[in-house]
């Protein structure tokens, strides 16, 4: 079973993503902030990370840079934001603008986790 880490400061978003992705037979862990998410990433093994970009304190750009500087730098990362201009020029493998359709999320997750499995 593939494992996904969801990082978002909004509890409702974390719960929604966890439910939707769990129904797709994915194991989902969540973190309420970037610091907690980076700590989980460092100690866990994830096939995909989904992170909000705009969070209090450390933001999603820092999360993706942390991942790209790690020994698991090839881990795919999806950036989420209600402010799409914050998603430009990032190291994200894909992006979703809030609000988004769950079907769009699932399509992107399947594409990236299938691609990760091919490596």
């Amino acid at each position: 079973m593939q494992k996904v880490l969801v990082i978002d400061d909004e509890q409702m978003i974390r719960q929604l993503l966890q439910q939707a992705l769990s129904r797709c037979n994915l194991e989902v862990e969540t973190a309420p902030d970037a610091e907690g998410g980076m700590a989980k990433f460092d100690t866990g093994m994830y096939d995909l990370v989904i992170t909000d970009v705009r969070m209090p304190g450390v933001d999603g750009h820092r999360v993706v840079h942390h991942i790209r500087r790690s020994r698991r730098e090839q881990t795919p990362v999806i950036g989420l934001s209600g402010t799409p201009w914050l998603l430009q020029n990032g190291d994200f493998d894909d992006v979703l603008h809030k609000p988004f359709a769950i079907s769009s999320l699932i399509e992107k997750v399947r594409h990236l986790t299938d691609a990760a499995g091919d490596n």
Side-chain angles (χ1 to χ4, degrees), residues 6-19:
V6 174
I7 306 167
D8 200 300
D9 60 316
E10 295 181 52
Q11 181 178 4
M12 186 175 74
I13 298 290
R14 288 193 313 271
Q15 290 174 334
L16 175 69
L17 296 182
Q18 184 169 33
Q19 289 174 353

Side-chain angles (χ1 to χ4, degrees), residues 5-103:
L5 175 60
V6 174
I7 306 167
D8 200 300
D9 60 316
E10 295 181 52
Q11 181 178 4
M12 186 175 74
I13 298 290
R14 288 193 313 271
Q15 290 174 334
L16 175 69
L17 296 182
Q18 184 169 33
Q19 289 174 353
L21 296 173
S22 294
R23 289 186 184 136
C24 294
N25 205 29
L26 295 164
E27 183 179 342
V28 182
E29 287 190 19
T30 65
D33 55 44
E35 293 92 346
M38 290 186 294
K40 282 189 175 198
F41 180 83
D42 289 344
T43 60
M45 294 296 294
Y46 299 96
D47 298 291
L48 175 70
V49 175
I50 301 171
T51 184
D52 188 15
V53 173
R54 194 168 177 177
M55 295 180 280
V58 178
D59 68 9
H61 288 287
R62 181 113 171 254
V63 171
V64 75
H65 289 142
H66 177 83
I67 291 168
R68 298 296 178 239
R69 290 185 182 103
S70 76
R71 56 191 161 97
R72 292 187 312 276
E73 66 190 37
Q74 297 301 318
T75 303
V77 181
I78 296 175
L80 306 175
S81 183
T83 50
W85 59 90
L86 293 177
L87 294 169
Q88 296 174 352
N89 303 321
D91 289 327
F92 299 104
D93 294 281
D94 213 331
V95 297
L96 276 169
H97 305 155
K98 294 178 184 177
F100 54 83
I102 292 298
S103 59

